[in-house]
Amino acid sequence: MTNSQLTPGVVAGRLGAGDYARNFADIAPRFDAHEAHVAADRCYFCHDAPCMAACPTTIDIPLFIRQIATGTPEAAARTIWEQNILGGMCARVCPTEQLCEEACVREAAEGKPVEIGRLQRYATDSLMERGVHPFTRAAPTGRRIAVVGAGPAGLAAAHRLAMKGHDVVIHDARPKAGGLNEYGIASYKAPGGFAQAEVDWLMKIGGITVVNGKALGQGLTLDGLRAAHDAVVLAIGLRGVNALRAEGEGLGNVVDAIEFIAELRQAGDKSTLAVGRDVVVIGGGMTAVDAAVQSKLLGAENVTIIYRRGQAQMSASADEQEHAASAGVRIIHNAAPVRAIGNGKVEEVEFAYTESGPEGLRLTGETFRLKADQVMKAIGQTLIGAPEGLRVEGGKIAVTGAGRTSVPGVWAAGDCAAGGDDLTVTAVAEGRDAAEDIHASLMG
C-alpha cells in the first residue's frame, strides 16, 4: 500500500514519483546570457567595492561583473577562481544575503542588491561546462605535502599548493571527496552531482592524489605524516555532534540532522528515504533549516524547528528562515528540549520556554509538548580526533597567522581551526591562505 503524508511513523514513499523530482529541483536555476547581462548592468562598479570587502575570499566582484557585462564570462570565471577555486559551489551555498549582497550599494539604496551569487554561478558554470581549467602548474619543486580532509579547506589548499608545483596527497575518511559540499548541504542547492563535478574539475590542475577511507586515528598519525612530508595541512572539519543533554535522547528515531542530510545527498532515489509524519528539528542554524525543509519536501506532514533563543540570534540567515516558512516549516523560538518521550521510539518531546537574564539563558519552568515520530539534532558540531600535542582553544585547533598550529610544519584550516565563521567560503579562504604560507615557508 502506498504511503502518504498521513501515514504514521517513519516511512518512505510518502509522495508521488513526480513530486520528488519537482521538490528537489534546483532552487535557483542559472541565469541565461540575457538575464546575466541585465543583472550585471545593475552594478555601479564601485571604486571602494564594499561587496569585495565583505567577501571572505576577497573576489574582485566589480571586475568579474564588468567582464560579464562586456560579454566575457570566461574571463569573469578566472577572476573568481583566482581567489576562490570553489567559486561554483560558493555561488550556490554562500549566504550572500549576509555578505557581499548585504554590503551592495544597491541594497542600501533600493533594498535590492545586485545578484552577485547568481552572476558568480553564471560565470563559473560557463567555463566549467566546457571542461576548461584555466590554471597550470608551476615547475615541480620536489616538495610533498599531506592534506587531511577533502572538504572545501583541504581542496582549496591542495589546489593552490599543486599550482605552485608541489605534490599533494589528500587523505579523507569518506568514500568521496568534497566534505560538506558533498555530504552536508540541502540537495536542492546543488543538484545534478555538481559537488563531484567541481572536485573533478579542480583535479585537472594535476599533482593531487586523493586517498579515501583514511583519517587520523584510522590508518594515519600526525607523526607519520610529518615524517613523510614537507608539510601537513589539517582540514578535518568538525565531525562530532553536540548532545541534546535531555532525557530520552537515546530513543529510536532521534537522529543527527547532518547524517540525515548526508543520506539524502547520496540517495539515487529519494522516494526510498524514510521520514516521519511529525518531524521536530532542534537547532537554529543552516543545518537545522536544511534538514527541516527537506523533511517537508520528502512528505512529512508537520515539521517544526525549535530554537532556544530569539529569531535574531538564529545563525540561519533571514532568507533561509523565510524559505523554511514558505516551505511550510513552523519555527518556535525561545524553547529548549527537556525530554524525549516514547516507548523505544520517540513519540513526543517536552520543551521548556527560555528567557535571557544576567546569568545567561534559563528555563522558565513553563513547558509544552510536541508530537514527534522523528527528532533531528542540529545543535552544532564539535572537534574530535585532534592529534595529541596540538594546542586546542575554544574547542578548535589554535592557529596563528595563516593557519600555523603549535606543531612545526603543521597548518590547520576550515571549521576545525580557531577563528572565522563556519562557512564554505571562509574555509576556502583559510585553505588558500595556509597554502600560500606553506609555499613561502618551504621556498623562502
Side-chain angles (χ1 to χ4, degrees):
M1 181 175 177
T2 302
N3 291 316
S4 74
Q5 288 184 293
L6 301 181
T7 304
V10 181
V11 300
R14 290 186 177 276
L15 305 175
D19 294 325
Y20 292 100
R22 181 168 53 254
N23 286 356
F24 289 92
D26 199 334
I27 191 173
R30 174 179 145 191
F31 280 146
D32 61 28
H34 174 71
E35 291 169 330
H37 279 91
V38 170
D41 281 342
R42 295 189 65 242
C43 183
Y44 286 135
F45 310 114
C46 305
H47 174 69
D48 57 352
C51 57
M52 184 175 171
C55 175
T57 53
T58 60
I59 294 170
D60 192 335
I61 294 170
L63 174 59
F64 94 68
I65 294 179
R66 186 181 294 276
Q67 289 166 325
I68 291 173
T70 55
T72 54
E74 295 83 4
R78 184 183 176 101
T79 296
I80 294 161
W81 285 326
E82 283 173 348
Q83 293 296 101
N84 183 345
I85 198 61
L86 296 178
M89 182 59 80
C90 286
R92 290 161 165 80
V93 304
C94 193
T96 53
E97 67 277 3
Q98 292 179 315
L99 299 171
C100 56
E101 291 179 12
E102 183 178 63
C104 178
V105 173
R106 286 279 194 182
E107 168 66 20
E110 304 169 8
K112 183 181 179 182
V114 174
E115 293 182 84
I116 298 169
R118 296 187 72 186
L119 286 168
Q120 180 168 314
R121 175 177 173 178
Y122 170 76
T124 53
D125 282 11
S126 296
L127 200 52
M128 279 185 64
E129 287 177 356
R130 291 169 47 193
V132 175
H133 192 94
F135 303 106
T136 56
R137 295 192 71 196
T141 64
R143 303 301 180 95
R144 184 175 171 85
I145 293 105
V147 176
V148 185
L155 290 170
H159 184 275
R160 185 59 61 104
L161 288 164
M163 196 168 69
K164 299 287 188 181
H166 307 299
D167 291 322
V168 184
V169 180
I170 306 177
H171 298 275
D172 194 82
R174 292 189 185 261
K176 296 180 183 178
L180 288 180
N181 286 357
E182 175 61 39
Y183 293 97
I185 62 169
S187 295
Y188 53 79
K189 292 180 180 177
F194 180 79
Q196 282 307 296
E198 187 173 48
V199 170
D200 293 342
W201 171 86
L202 180 147
M203 294 297 172
K204 289 179 182 290
I205 189 66
I208 304 173
T209 302
V210 178
V211 179
N212 296 106
K214 284 196 173 184
L216 291 172
Q218 301 173 22
L220 295 178
T221 66
L222 183 57
D223 287 343
L225 291 171
R226 292 178 68 205
H229 300 83
D230 296 289
V232 178
V233 180
L234 300 179
I236 58 178
L238 301 174
R239 292 183 293 157
V241 177
N242 289 330
L244 290 178
R245 296 186 178 88
E247 181 185 340
E249 183 175 357
L251 287 171
N253 294 331
V254 178
V255 301
D256 297 336
I258 197 72
E259 290 304 319
F260 170 77
I261 293 170
E263 184 180 3
L264 246 171
R265 290 280 299 168
Q266 301 306 305
D269 180 2
K270 290 181 174 54
S271 69
T272 64
L273 293 170
V275 70
R277 176 179 177 178
D278 299 289
V279 178
V280 171
V281 181
I282 301 171
M286 300 284 277
T287 298
V289 170
D290 283 355
V293 170
Q294 291 186 112
S295 296
K296 194 70 177 174
L297 296 180
L298 285 173
E301 183 185 18
N302 302 303
V303 181
T304 307
I305 292 175
I306 306 287
Y307 180 56
R308 60 185 180 141
R309 300 187 186 274
Q311 181 178 5
Q313 284 75 48
M314 288 184 71
S315 56
S317 69
D319 279 14
E320 288 287 336
Q321 294 179 49
E322 290 173 10
H323 174 62
S326 69
V329 175
R330 179 173 56 154
I331 302 178
I332 298 176
H333 302 100
N334 300 113
V338 174
R339 60 177 176 144
I341 303 164
N343 184 16
K345 296 181 180 179
V346 66
E347 297 171 6
E348 58 182 353
V349 184
E350 183 177 352
F351 294 89
Y353 287 108
T354 65
E355 63 181 17
S356 297
E359 298 179 356
L361 200 69
R362 73 174 189 87
L363 305 182
T364 64
E366 183 181 356
T367 64
F368 64 94
R369 292 185 180 186
L370 288 178
K371 184 179 178 182
D373 50 27
Q374 190 174 37
V375 176
M376 299 185 190
K377 300 181 291 183
I379 53 176
Q381 294 176 273
T382 57
L383 176 68
I384 60 174
E388 291 186 11
L390 280 177
R391 188 161 58 89
V392 174
E393 289 181 352
K396 294 192 175 187
I397 299 172
V399 296
T400 57
R404 296 192 183 202
T405 73
S406 58
V407 176
V410 179
W411 281 253
D415 292 353
C416 70
D421 298 318
D422 293 344
L423 298 172
T424 297
V425 67
T426 304
V428 171
E430 291 178 356
R432 175 202 67 196
D433 294 347
E436 290 285 358
D437 195 54
I438 290 168
H439 178 70
S441 176
L442 294 178
M443 308 306 290

